[in-house]
């Protein structure tokens, strides 16, 4: 699963180039920040409740831990399978976190980021 997160990160980096960075500071690092659109992205490799809880918490804490300028839109990027339960999607949305998905081929190595999400990342602020 750790490798899958790297594949997702690399796919985003290829699509967004220098606008996509990995913010670091105080011994912490977030998965990604789209500078021009002010999007803080946390990548998860499963839709297990524990991973989703962790992702939402990370997105809430990283701006403070990494001294990132607000306002940031928080994005949780998760695999499209298995589908997110509606009750969990509503709970995440209530935390002011957008959920977006990616797909992975059967080998687990080819990641596809939907064009709609790439366009969202290219929209400024």
């Amino acid at each position: 699963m750790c490798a899958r997160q790297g594949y997702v990160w690399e796919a985003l980096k290829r699509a967004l180039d220098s606008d996509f960075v990995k913010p670091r500071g105080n011994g912490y690092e977030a998965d990604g920040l789209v500078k021009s659109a002010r999007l803080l992205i946390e990548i998860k490799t499963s839709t297990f409740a524990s991973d989703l809880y962790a992702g939402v918490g990370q997105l809430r804490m990283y701006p403070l831990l990494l001294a990132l300028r607000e306002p940031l839109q928080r994005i949780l990027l998760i695999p499209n399978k298995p589908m997110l339960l509606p009750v969990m999607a509503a709970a995440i949305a209530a935390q002011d976190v957008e959920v977006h998905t990616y797909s992975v081929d059967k080998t687990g190595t080819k990641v596809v980021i939907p064009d709609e999400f790439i366009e969202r990342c290219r929209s400024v602020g």
Side-chain angles (χ1 to χ4, degrees), residues 23-115:
R24 295 177 170 95
N26 298 316
Y28 299 95
E29 68 179 33
D31 289 338
L33 175 70
V34 181
K35 296 183 292 187
S36 64
R38 306 292 304 149
L39 303 177
L40 181 61
I41 299 174
E42 181 60 28
I43 300 166
K44 292 299 174 192
T45 58
S46 84
T47 57
F48 293 130
S50 59
D51 288 335
L52 300 173
Y53 301 153
V56 170
Q58 288 167 294
L59 288 165
R60 302 298 286 170
M61 293 178 68
Y62 280 148
L64 298 169
L65 293 171
L66 302 172
L68 298 173
R69 279 186 314 126
E70 297 277 354
L72 295 170
Q73 179 57 51
R74 294 163 175 90
I75 306 283
L76 190 59
L77 187 58
I78 61 173
N80 63 348
K81 293 181 183 174
M83 279 186 54
L84 191 60
L85 295 174
V87 67
M88 183 62 84
I92 293 170
Q95 299 304 308
D96 197 28
V97 173
E98 287 181 33
V99 176
H100 293 272
T101 63
Y102 60 90
S103 61
V104 181
D105 71 353
K106 290 181 183 180
T107 68
T109 60
K110 183 178 181 202
V111 170
V112 177
I113 309 289
D115 291 338

Side-chain angles (χ1 to χ4, degrees), residues 14-16 19 34 36-37 39 115 117-124:
R14 277 191 304 276
L16 301 171
D19 200 29
V34 181
S36 64
L39 303 177
D115 291 338
F117 181 63
I118 297 302
E119 287 306 312
R120 170 71 176 98
C121 291
R122 290 183 177 140
S123 64
V124 176

